[in-house]
Amino acid sequence: EQNWMVHRPKSHWKSNMHWRLSPADETAHDDYLTILSAGGFDKVLESIGAYFNLNGLSAYHLSFIGVSQCERGFIHTDVNDSGVMAFNLIIPLMLVEGESPELEILSDDETMTRYYQYEYNVASMIGDDALHATASCDYMSKGEMRICATVYVGDITTTNVRNLLMSLTQAYPPVGNAKHLLDRAGDHWSKTDGSKRLPVPVNN
């Protein structure tokens, strides 16, 4: 048995995005991890760890996000002050063909905006203090919606764990529980231990 949480942001987001269809307990979280494993996500973790010269990585915050209408995107960040050790990967699962770019990316002073078009089989990786927003869209006349998976990965340490906790808004991992994250640090990739991998799906 698994528990999942559905969360919609407050009205200042000006969209109907449900941004936290997420595991609400460890069983659901681990099941999500096995799907990532089956899709070859271990290679992604290995590449991130090697490129940024990290010691270990854990996929610690998982969700799905869906939207069919956005009047105006709310500018925000996903990860702050991790020491360039944590990232949110946005993986498109269902896109609306023929539409405008879906992601706004802003300069630090918010004076410059660039737009990014999602692609299948290509993830966007958002790091420390990166200002972004959902671009305006309206798929409702088509009866369609956009769905992405979001996977927060990080080299969790005693130095950055408090900042990582500030990004958590769902039921699991437990909000405010630094020990929970630290106990799982480096669970899914390690620079020195090749046995650290995502859990493998169990065949019934």
Side-chain angles (χ1 to χ4, degrees):
E1 182 177 339
Q2 301 179 7
N3 293 306
W4 290 76
M5 172 184 175
V6 179
H7 179 68
R8 181 172 176 174
K10 295 180 180 180
S11 59
H12 62 264
W13 282 70
K14 304 294 183 183
S15 82
N16 68 358
M17 176 176 283
H18 285 67
W19 64 323
R20 286 291 179 267
L21 172 57
S22 58
D25 59 29
E26 190 164 17
T27 300
H29 181 89
D30 288 348
D31 193 54
Y32 194 138
L33 292 176
T34 65
I35 301 303
L36 292 174
S37 173
F41 202 75
D42 283 297
K43 184 63 178 177
V44 176
L45 294 175
E46 179 184 350
S47 297
I48 293 172
Y51 183 87
F52 290 97
N53 193 30
L54 303 176
N55 292 316
L57 282 170
S58 175
Y60 65 93
H61 179 173
L62 312 172
S63 73
F64 298 98
I65 55 175
V67 64
S68 62
Q69 190 275 335
C70 177
E71 177 184 337
R72 184 179 73 250
F74 177 69
I75 300 168
H76 64 287
T77 60
D78 289 339
V79 180
N80 295 292
D81 301 322
S82 75
V84 197
M85 298 169 73
F87 311 90
N88 177 24
L89 279 74
I90 303 175
I91 306 168
L93 301 177
M94 188 165 70
L95 299 174
V96 181
E97 297 298 327
E99 292 291 334
S100 302
E102 302 94 343
L103 181 66
E104 293 184 13
I105 304 170
L106 293 90
S107 60
D108 290 343
D109 60 4
E110 301 184 29
T111 61
M112 184 181 300
T113 303
R114 294 290 182 265
Y115 293 88
Y116 176 77
Q117 186 97 47
Y118 289 130
E119 301 176 50
Y120 288 119
N121 302 313
V122 179
S124 307
M125 193 165 81
I126 297 174
D128 278 347
D129 310 308
L131 294 170
H132 63 285
T134 299
S136 298
C137 65
D138 192 344
Y139 313 140
M140 297 183 71
S141 63
K142 295 182 176 181
E144 298 185 51
M145 66 185 305
R146 181 174 76 246
I147 299 177
C148 298
T150 67
V151 182
Y152 284 65
V153 304
D155 189 349
I156 302 167
T157 69
T158 55
T159 301
N160 66 21
V161 67
R162 293 293 176 187
N163 289 328
L164 299 186
L165 285 170
M166 293 176 65
S167 300
L168 304 183
T169 58
Q170 72 268 39
Y172 188 91
V175 175
N177 192 332
K179 183 178 185 301
H180 181 93
L181 288 188
L182 289 169
D183 286 348
R184 289 156 179 77
D187 269 0
H188 305 134
W189 175 83
S190 169
K191 182 191 293 187
T192 58
D193 184 352
S195 70
K196 298 290 187 179
R197 300 178 65 84
L198 294 166
V200 177
V202 177
N203 294 323
N204 295 322

